[in-house]
Amino acid sequence: MEAERFGCIIVGGGIAGLSAAMVLARHEVPFLLIERGAYSGAKNVSGGVLWGTDLARLVPEYWNDPNASFERFINHRRLTFLDEQSAFSIDFKSSHYDTPPYMGVTVLRAIFDRWLADKVQEAIDRSACADASFLAFDVLVERLLVEDGRVVGVEAGGERFYADCVILAEGVNNLLTRQIGLQAEYVPADHMAVGVKEVLRFDRRVLEDRFQLSERSGMANEFIGAITDGVEGGGFLYTNRTTVSIGLVLGMADLRRKRKKPYELLDRFKAHPVVADMIRGGEVVEYSAHVVSTGDMRAMPRELYADGVLVAGEAANLLLNAGKAIQGMDFAMHSGILAAETVLEARRVGDFSAATLRRYRERLEQSYVLQNMRNFQAAVRLLHEPVMYERMPRLVCDLGREFFRVENRPAPKLRQILREVVRRHSSLPELLKLTYRAWKAL
């Protein structure tokens, strides 16, 4: 019996894979998407903010869908520096962000990915190739099929499937990307992190009152400082409809060097007096951990394309945390879209060689994904230096304590307070040097 052949095979049913599938379905390209989970999202533990407006491209006016699975839109941003007892926040909230398409929405991946897969299936059903495109779940892709140096298909579930092109959206454990030599066998632990997260349930009215939310508005709060017990990393808290996602992203190598356990550090974070007030009364309904890239471009595969194959999303280690936001899901979505558009172009010219598929890399370089990653590499590396998650948060919190202190004695001028606080934690030349580096990095 002749093996089945598709226009494209997508490995992975996460955000990158589903985004590519949506584009292909709308352009009536027969494809096979293979996901090892029982459904899209079954293997995803991430829950955070999907930034940007690409979701509106894939699902126009998704906010009007009564079944839309986003949790809340973000109109409130907060960056918090912590020492052992205090918090100093940069806080911004604006009704400018209340109008769709939203700047960002919080999602729970097990719910969101399943909804997006349903939308892809609807697009398949409306297409001319409804009988030739499939979403296959609970199937593991064992290996890529390579002939004369070109990827021609996959072996999955004991069967072989062939295609003009394969899009690898397999996630951070990118074994297939490694099989064809695009990724080094082992990425240095210095470029990888462990994300650990809990989802806490609240009464909806309690949650909205506590975080000053109305209707479907939401808040994204990032944390830097004493919460990690000297381990490289930071924390986050995102509001969902009736829950909050709270967690840490911790440097893998630093965890190992300092012999710390992620869940113990998460408990320490939750016990911080400021954080404890924020989550008081919440019921833990989910715990998860996940390996992620730190956003250092040295963790990326040596290339994102080869003959017959493209690499998208987490498999390409596309992520950025430069202190402004943790961007990963939006990078996955955009790279999936660009990968599918490259497949469409290759179909038009009838050439799936690396010479044509290199347009994917060019598209990424022209997009905000790789431009942001390149432009903010200095910020990524600065954030992972001890001064940024140890001394700087303590300095900022000490400054806040002294500035807002009111006593029955003459109050010092701000310049006197600043001089004394800097002397305790650093020196003026060092602070000026760090400020200059941060200015250049951001």
Side-chain angles (χ1 to χ4, degrees):
M1 184 176 69
E2 186 177 347
E4 204 160 356
R5 187 172 188 86
F6 298 88
C8 184
I9 293 174
I10 302 168
V11 181
I15 288 179
L18 291 170
S19 300
M22 182 70 85
V23 173
L24 296 178
R26 288 192 175 146
H27 287 82
E28 302 190 337
V29 176
F31 69 88
L32 171 65
L33 182 148
I34 304 176
E35 162 60 36
R36 67 189 179 97
Y39 54 87
S40 281
K43 298 290 185 180
N44 292 110
V45 300
S46 171
V49 183
L50 172 59
W51 297 107
T53 57
D54 277 332
L55 179 57
R57 288 179 59 187
L58 295 177
V59 186
E61 297 190 6
Y62 66 87
W63 51 88
N64 290 326
D65 181 350
N67 298 315
S69 66
F70 76 94
E71 298 293 309
R72 292 182 178 274
F73 66 84
I74 298 299
N75 69 349
H76 188 182
R77 300 293 314 281
R78 182 184 293 161
L79 175 63
T80 301
F81 296 89
L82 296 173
D83 66 11
E84 283 74 7
Q85 293 178 294
S86 312
F88 192 113
S89 294
I90 301 170
D91 196 287
F92 182 74
K93 186 175 185 177
S94 175
S95 60
H96 285 95
Y97 300 135
D98 290 358
T99 306
Y102 301 118
M103 172 184 66
V105 293
T106 55
V107 301
L108 296 170
R109 292 288 301 277
I111 300 170
F112 177 80
D113 288 21
R114 199 168 194 173
W115 169 80
L116 188 56
D118 288 342
K119 292 299 178 183
V120 172
Q121 186 61 57
E122 290 175 12
I124 292 172
D125 294 341
R126 290 192 298 266
S127 74
C129 57
D131 295 330
S133 293
F134 305 94
L135 304 180
F137 299 107
D138 211 13
V139 178
L140 175 66
V141 175
E142 290 100 9
R143 67 186 184 95
L144 295 174
L145 302 177
V146 181
E147 295 179 2
D148 299 323
R150 175 183 169 182
V151 175
V152 296
V154 303
E155 185 173 307
E159 297 186 51
R160 294 186 171 195
F161 303 91
Y162 291 86
D164 296 324
C165 185
V166 174
I167 296 176
L168 296 178
E170 56 180 327
V172 70
N173 296 318
N174 50 7
L175 299 178
L176 300 177
T177 307
R178 297 166 193 266
Q179 179 201 326
I180 53 175
L182 291 181
Q183 178 76 66
E185 186 62 28
Y186 295 102
V187 176
D190 290 322
H191 306 332
M192 305 302 289
V194 176
V196 58
K197 182 198 76 172
E198 287 183 355
V199 175
L200 308 179
R201 181 187 290 132
F202 293 84
D203 175 84
R204 181 165 181 166
R205 182 170 294 179
V206 170
L207 186 146
E208 291 178 345
D209 287 347
R210 185 169 300 175
F211 294 100
Q212 299 178 319
L213 310 177
S214 60
E215 297 181 351
R216 214 158 174 178
S217 68
M219 181 189 74
N221 194 163
E222 281 80 33
F223 299 84
I224 303 173
I227 50 173
T228 62
D229 196 19
V231 174
E232 169 192 326
F236 60 84
L237 184 150
Y238 306 129
T239 58
N240 305 312
R241 216 172 303 193
T242 59
T243 63
V244 300
S245 297
I246 183 169
L248 298 171
V249 179
L250 304 161
M252 184 180 290
D254 213 27
L255 273 173
R256 184 173 59 196
R257 280 193 296 267
K258 295 172 180 173
R259 299 186 178 184
K260 302 290 184 179
K261 295 180 174 60
Y263 60 85
E264 291 179 350
L265 295 181
L266 179 57
D267 287 342
R268 176 189 176 95
F269 175 33
K270 291 168 58 185
H272 187 282
V274 173
V275 178
D277 281 346
M278 298 173 75
I279 63 173
R280 184 178 62 255
E283 175 193 2
V284 178
V285 294
E286 178 185 320
Y287 171 86
S288 56
H290 185 55
V291 175
V292 297
S293 171
T294 62
D296 194 310
M297 293 186 73
R298 290 173 293 186
M300 291 178 62
R302 64 174 179 82
E303 195 45 89
L304 303 179
Y305 66 90
D307 289 327
V309 65
L310 301 169
V311 187
E314 276 193 300
N317 283 308
L318 298 177
L319 184 138
L320 179 65
N321 178 14
K324 180 180 177 182
I326 301 173
Q327 293 181 263
M329 289 184 282
D330 55 328
F331 284 13
M333 184 168 282
H334 201 70
S335 64
I337 292 171
L338 296 183
E341 290 175 349
T342 304
V343 171
L344 296 177
E345 181 178 330
R347 282 174 65 85
R348 284 195 293 270
V349 300
D351 179 14
F352 294 88
S353 69
T356 298
L357 296 185
R358 69 182 297 173
R359 281 286 295 132
Y360 170 58
R361 178 68 184 235
E362 293 168 2
R363 282 184 164 95
L364 275 174
E365 293 284 2
Q366 293 162 8
S367 77
Y368 77 95
V369 175
L370 286 186
Q371 287 196 35
N372 281 1
M373 289 187 71
R374 289 194 187 284
N375 289 342
F376 291 98
Q377 279 299 289
V380 169
R381 293 169 191 176
L382 180 60
L383 277 177
H384 291 278
E385 293 186 14
V387 64
M388 293 304 297
Y389 53 86
E390 291 182 342
R391 277 191 292 164
M392 184 54 63
R394 289 189 170 90
L395 186 154
V396 171
C397 287
D398 200 2
L399 178 63
R401 272 191 301 273
E402 295 299 329
F403 179 77
F404 291 110
R405 187 195 302 272
V406 178
E407 294 181 319
N408 299 120
R409 64 183 179 86
K413 293 278 192 177
L414 176 59
R415 64 176 179 271
Q416 296 172 278
I417 295 173
L418 182 59
R419 186 183 305 118
E420 177 60 25
V421 168
V422 170
R423 186 188 64 77
R424 289 180 204 154
H425 299 276
S426 181
S427 66
L428 185 57
E430 185 180 20
L431 182 61
L432 291 174
K433 182 179 178 181
L434 183 63
T435 302
Y436 177 69
R437 287 182 62 196
W439 176 263
K440 287 187 65 177
L442 294 172

